[in-house]
Amino acid sequence: QVQLVESGGGWLQAGGSVRLSCAASGRTGSRYAMAWFRQTPRRWREFVAAISWSGNSTRYADSVKGRFTISRDNAKNTVYLQMTSLKPEDTALYYCAAGVDLVQKGPDYWGQGTQVTVSS
């Protein structure tokens, strides 16, 4: 089992920045790709960004390209999501996810989420 704990959310102004963190514990020896998803009451959980185990490959949703950056520090078992130029539509509950084969099989593990609220 892998436990994922997100942190860093909060109330922010449009145009601002924030960095989310996701700390993994448990069976972190496997080479998990990591991703961020987000969910609002009106939208089902949607993909935001993903990063390979090595960190050499990243993917982003079109809605966040150029504004968000995903990164990871395997020595700290932590993945980050740097969010800039925030918009009110970025308001959501942000989830961290881990999976050996995220693209084909989806996440194996989910965190509990951290709320990001962006006011205009």
Side-chain angles (χ1 to χ4, degrees), residues 5 22 30 34 44 47 56 69 89 93-94 96 105:
V5 178
C22 172
S30 297
M34 302 291 292
W44 183 237
F47 169 77
N56 290 337
T69 302
E89 50 264 44
L93 186 60
Y94 283 74
C96 175
K105 298 182 179 180

Side-chain angles (χ1 to χ4, degrees), residues 5 33-34 39-40 45 50 54 64 70 85-86 96 102 104 114:
V5 178
M34 302 291 292
Q39 185 171 350
T40 69
R45 198 170 294 186
S54 66
V64 306
I70 189 171
S85 301
L86 286 165
C96 175
L102 271 176
Q104 297 295 330
T114 184

Side-chain angles (χ1 to χ4, degrees), residues 94-118:
Y94 283 74
Y95 292 93
C96 175
V100 174
D101 189 354
L102 271 176
V103 175
Q104 297 295 330
K105 298 182 179 180
D108 298 314
Y109 303 101
W110 293 92
Q112 293 299 307
T114 184
Q115 178 69 35
V116 173
T117 303
V118 183

Side-chain angles (χ1 to χ4, degrees), residues 34-111:
M34 302 291 292
W36 289 93
F37 291 77
R38 65 187 181 186
Q39 185 171 350
T40 69
R42 294 186 178 183
R43 300 196 306 266
W44 183 237
R45 198 170 294 186
E46 63 178 9
F47 169 77
V48 175
I51 187 167
S52 62
W53 179 86
S54 66
N56 290 337
S57 178
T58 58
R59 296 176 63 182
Y60 297 92
D62 288 342
S63 58
V64 306
K65 278 182 182 176
R67 300 189 299 119
F68 292 7
T69 302
I70 189 171
S71 61
R72 67 189 297 164
D73 184 338
N74 287 342
K76 296 181 178 180
N77 293 322
T78 301
V79 64
Y80 305 97
L81 185 67
Q82 180 68 47
M83 306 165 63
T84 64
S85 301
L86 286 165
K87 304 175 181 180
E89 50 264 44
D90 293 321
T91 295
L93 186 60
Y94 283 74
Y95 292 93
C96 175
V100 174
D101 189 354
L102 271 176
V103 175
Q104 297 295 330
K105 298 182 179 180
D108 298 314
Y109 303 101
W110 293 92

